[in-house]
């Protein structure tokens, strides 16, 4: 029997609401992505998000209402449940946040490379270079991706050595020129590296292709590809797929889940393109479908770059597209707005920040309600499981009928 309705998850990568009880443990005491952006900007125009309860959820999370200013002109008129979620995974990284919201929290410690040069063990680099047939690597430290490409891009073109770097996340990143090094060759190199970093318990190897011929012209392309380990347990994505449903990933979702539980992967990058793809897939999705989008620019382009104004403009643009999604939702459909961690652009450093994240559920038949502070991101996955009448997940408590 076909399960009715479609679910859509709008995952605003890094959109934290402050207030995490364990923030100090991560060196993030006082971080508040939304609150600090609104204060630094002197206001935000997000009337549709406000109508769905975002600002009330943020106040409940951090204890202070965001200084967003009056919110007039909302064009969305759907009832919503709203609140915030706490993370129980041991990290504040992309994989942990995404997996937990799908019902698979990370209860082990990831491996990390040290931030200072040389970040990577010599034995590891020797194995990768020998198998890949490359003369060596550049970088070998923790760095901003855009900055290290600017620093070493010309030398990379001249020597053929890929630029390898890490961050505060459990990652091994490889940047290489699409034309001079070759995109397929970069992907193959990342596959080799992924195999060799496994003993170090590293979550992801990320291919970071770029273009341009000299300093000042280098620019990363949309052909990023993540090589990820698999979630440690069954997720709601697996449950949907195994029961005959459709799981449509937009952006980097498929990579983050190592393609597990995905029936269709749609490539897109940039806020506008991601929204266009999401709306197209949601409109075409049959009953018993989940459309799951990662809006990566909030993290990659603005959070990590500590670009407060860019983040604010991104939030305002995101808000303007919500009525389009609402207009094409039919009776029984539900949509969620959430995030995987924080990345406060006003905070010290360039790393993710440990924060609560929003959880908003809206749709034609939703009963409006404040659902409080949830004890785990997995509550979202459990809610989706109950919505589709699937077996309960191991973690999380549904708020579908709260």
């Amino acid at each position: 029997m076909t399960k009715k309705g479609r679910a859509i998850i709008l995952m605003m990568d890094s959109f934290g609401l402050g207030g995490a009880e364990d923030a100090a443990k991560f060196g993030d005491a006082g971080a508040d992505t939304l609150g600090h952006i609104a204060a630094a900007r002197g206001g935000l125009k997000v009337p549709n998000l406000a109508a769905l309860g975002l600002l009330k959820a943020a106040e409940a999370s951090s204890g202070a209402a965001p200084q967003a200013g009056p919110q007039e002109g909302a064009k969305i008129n759907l009832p919503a449940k709203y609140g915030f979620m706490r993370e129980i995974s041991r990290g504040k990284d992309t994989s942990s946040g995404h997996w937990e919201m799908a019902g698979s929290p990370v209860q082990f410690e990831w491996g990390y490379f040290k931030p200072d040069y040389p970040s990577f063990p010599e034995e590891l680099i020797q194995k990768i270079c020998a198998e890949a047939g490359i003369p060596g690597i550049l970088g070998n430290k923790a760095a901003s991706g855009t900055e290290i490409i600017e620093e070493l891009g010309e030398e990379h073109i001249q020597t053929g050595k890929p630029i390898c770097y890490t961050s505060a996340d459990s990652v091994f990143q490889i940047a290489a020129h699409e034309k001079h090094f070759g995109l397929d060759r970069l992907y193959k190199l990342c596959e080799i590296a992924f195999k060799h970093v496994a003993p170090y318990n590293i979550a992801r190897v990320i291919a970071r292709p770029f273009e341009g011929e000299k300093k000042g012209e280098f620019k990363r392309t949309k052909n990023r590809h993540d090589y990820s380990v698999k979630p440690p347990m069954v997720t709601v994505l697996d449950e949907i797929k195994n029961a005959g449903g459709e799981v449509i990933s937009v952006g980097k979702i498929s990579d983050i889940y190592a393609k597990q539980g995905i029936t269709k992967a749609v490539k897109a990058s940039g806020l506008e393109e991601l929204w266009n793809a999401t709306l197209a897939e949601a409109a075409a999705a049959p009953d018993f479908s989940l459309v799951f989008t990662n809006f990566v620019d909030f993290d990659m382009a603005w959070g990590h770059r500590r670009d407060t104004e860019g983040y604010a403009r991104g939030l305002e643009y995101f808000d303007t597209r919500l009525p389009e999604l609402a207009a094409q939702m039919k009776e029984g459909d539900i949509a969620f707005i959430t995030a995987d961690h924080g990345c406060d652009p006003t905070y010290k450093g360039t790393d993710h920040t440990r924060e609560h994240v929003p959880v908003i559920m809206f749709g034609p038949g939703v009963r409006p309600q404040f659902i409080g502070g949830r004890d785990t991101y997995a509550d979202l996955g459990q809610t989706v499981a109950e919505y589709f009448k699937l077996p309960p997940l191991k973690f999380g408590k549904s708020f579908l009928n709260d």
Side-chain angles (χ1 to χ4, degrees), residues 116-135:
D116 52 307
Y117 178 89
S119 288
F120 309 119
E122 180 61 26
E123 180 185 23
L124 172 63
I125 297 305
Q126 287 179 356
K127 288 179 179 178
I128 293 172
C129 290
E131 183 170 348
I134 55 176

Side-chain angles (χ1 to χ4, degrees), residues 154-229:
E154 291 181 355
E155 185 178 355
H156 159 70
I157 293 172
Q158 293 164 2
T159 65
K161 296 178 180 179
I163 303 167
C164 299
Y165 61 103
T166 188
S167 73
D169 279 0
S170 180
V171 293
F172 188 105
Q173 305 192 70
I174 307 177
H177 198 281
E178 280 201 359
K179 183 177 72 173
H180 295 292
F181 192 87
L183 187 59
D184 289 341
R185 188 181 176 204
L186 172 59
Y187 290 162
K188 180 61 178 177
L189 174 60
C190 288
E191 291 173 7
I192 292 169
F194 183 68
K195 177 177 63 178
H196 287 295
V197 301
Y200 299 87
N201 197 28
I202 300 301
R204 290 180 295 158
V205 171
I206 305 177
R208 296 285 197 175
F210 67 95
E211 59 188 3
E213 296 301 317
K214 61 183 180 180
K215 188 174 292 188
E217 296 179 355
F218 297 128
K219 182 180 179 181
R220 294 196 296 200
T221 73
K222 65 171 63 177
N223 292 317
R224 164 186 171 156
H225 186 49
D226 293 33
Y227 300 79
S228 173
V229 299

Side-chain angles (χ1 to χ4, degrees), residues 69-185:
Q71 302 296 316
E72 300 174 350
K75 297 179 180 179
I76 195 166
N77 188 28
L78 288 176
K81 297 178 185 290
Y82 62 92
F84 62 89
M85 299 191 297
R86 303 175 176 91
E87 187 169 12
I88 61 172
S89 294
R90 295 187 182 183
K92 54 178 180 177
D93 56 277
T94 296
S95 298
S96 296
H98 280 77
W99 295 355
E100 183 173 329
M101 75 177 67
S104 179
V106 176
Q107 298 183 301
F108 56 84
E109 297 288 348
W110 289 116
Y112 298 90
F113 294 116
K114 63 189 183 74
D116 52 307
Y117 178 89
S119 288
F120 309 119
E122 180 61 26
E123 180 185 23
L124 172 63
I125 297 305
Q126 287 179 356
K127 288 179 179 178
I128 293 172
C129 290
E131 183 170 348
I134 55 176
I137 68 167
L138 303 175
N140 203 350
K141 61 184 179 181
S144 155
T146 53
E147 291 176 3
I148 201 167
I149 290 170
E150 188 71 7
E151 174 191 349
L152 299 172
E154 291 181 355
E155 185 178 355
H156 159 70
I157 293 172
Q158 293 164 2
T159 65
K161 296 178 180 179
I163 303 167
C164 299
Y165 61 103
T166 188
S167 73
D169 279 0
S170 180
V171 293
F172 188 105
Q173 305 192 70
I174 307 177
H177 198 281
E178 280 201 359
K179 183 177 72 173
H180 295 292
F181 192 87
L183 187 59
D184 289 341
R185 188 181 176 204

Side-chain angles (χ1 to χ4, degrees), residues 361 371 374 378-387 395-402:
M361 185 180 91
I371 55 174
R374 315 303 297 190
D379 284 11
L380 191 153
Q382 196 72 269
T383 301
V384 173
E386 184 179 4
Y387 169 72
F395 289 89
K397 180 181 178 182
S398 172
F399 50 81
L400 184 69
N401 296 310
D402 283 5

Side-chain angles (χ1 to χ4, degrees), residues 9-14 85 87 89 91-106 204 224 226 228 231-232 235-237 250-257 292-296 299 338-341 352 377-378 380-381:
I9 300 176
L10 310 176
M11 216 296 304
M12 301 173 71
D13 201 314
S14 88
M85 299 191 297
E87 187 169 12
S89 294
K92 54 178 180 177
D93 56 277
T94 296
S95 298
S96 296
H98 280 77
W99 295 355
E100 183 173 329
M101 75 177 67
S104 179
V106 176
R204 290 180 295 158
R224 164 186 171 156
D226 293 33
S228 173
T235 70
V236 71
L237 312 187
V250 181
K252 68 176 189 174
I253 291 295
S254 181
D255 284 353
I256 293 169
Y257 289 93
F292 193 173
T293 302
N294 176 291
F295 292 91
V296 68
D299 184 64
T338 192
D340 54 344
H341 48 70
H352 295 155
Y377 292 7
L380 191 153

Side-chain angles (χ1 to χ4, degrees), residues 5-11 78 101 240 246 248 250 274-275 277-286 288-295 318 322 324-330 332-338 360-364 380 384 387-388:
R6 293 93 54 82
I8 302 111
I9 300 176
L10 310 176
M11 216 296 304
L78 288 176
M101 75 177 67
I240 294 169
E246 297 293 320
I248 303 156
V250 181
L274 285 162
W275 257 115
T278 300
L279 292 169
E281 295 302 324
F288 195 21
S289 294
L290 171 67
V291 179
F292 193 173
T293 302
N294 176 291
F295 292 91
F318 183 93
L322 282 168
E324 296 176 63
L325 177 62
Q328 66 186 45
M329 294 177 72
K330 64 182 183 179
D333 288 350
I334 56 172
F336 299 87
I337 298 171
T338 192
I360 294 171
M361 185 180 91
F362 63 96
L380 191 153
V384 173
Y387 169 72
F388 284 129

